[in-house]
Amino acid sequence: PLIETKPDAVSTVYARALHDLASGQGGRAAVEQTLSELEALMDLARSDRRFNEFLASRIIGTDRRGGSIGAMLTGRFSPTTVRFLQVLNDKGRLHALPGIVAAFDSIAQAGFGRVEVTVTTATALSDGDRAALTESL
């Protein structure tokens, strides 16, 4: 099965290439769409054991899996995302998909000027305090 991993150098290279491609094709909207599609794909892989095994299996040939990826995802995902998954398949890198998605998310969020933060307080915040904190962040 696909194993949740942190991005490594290879994952980051693939994620950067996909980000640059999506950004060049449609700017921020295309990057957001690609991120949404990758997250949906990972959600499906996490929730459906058979789909997860299909993506990670070394028994299924790359030609057969590539055709199946095209048949299953064409019309549901953008051509860029479908082709990217087929390239990963062709290069034997589908097992790295969790790390690639994590790296793509980091690259996209940085490009949007977003930073993820965690706020810990000693006591629960009132709705007004929460709203003020959210606004200041």
Side-chain angles (χ1 to χ4, degrees):
L2 293 177
I3 298 171
E4 296 291 328
T5 57
K6 294 186 184 227
D8 59 10
V10 172
S11 298
T12 302
V13 167
Y14 277 98
R16 171 71 55 204
L18 179 59
H19 179 271
D20 292 350
L21 179 64
S23 182
Q25 290 179 340
R28 182 181 179 131
V31 171
E32 288 177 338
Q33 178 182 359
T34 301
L35 179 57
S36 176
E37 291 171 349
L38 291 174
E39 288 173 342
L41 186 73
M42 288 307 304
D43 287 345
L44 179 59
R46 288 181 193 108
S47 66
D48 187 328
R49 182 182 57 82
R50 290 184 350 203
F51 183 67
N52 188 312
E53 290 174 358
F54 163 76
L55 292 175
S57 176
R58 295 184 187 265
I59 296 172
I60 301 170
T62 56
D63 289 342
R64 186 170 166 212
R65 184 178 17 247
S68 295
I69 288 171
M72 286 187 294
L73 303 180
T74 297
R76 293 187 176 128
F77 289 156
S78 68
T80 301
T81 301
V82 173
R83 184 65 193 124
F84 178 73
L85 294 170
Q86 289 173 325
V87 168
L88 288 180
N89 176 62
D90 293 346
K91 300 294 183 185
R93 299 281 188 191
L94 273 176
H95 68 279
L97 191 58
I100 294 168
V101 173
F104 187 89
D105 180 54
S106 294
I107 293 165
Q109 298 309 328
F112 300 154
R114 296 179 188 157
V115 177
E116 186 174 321
V117 298
T118 301
V119 176
T120 305
T121 61
T123 60
L125 296 177
S126 69
D127 290 341
D129 289 340
R130 187 177 300 120
L133 179 61
T134 300
E135 180 65 30
S136 69
L137 289 175

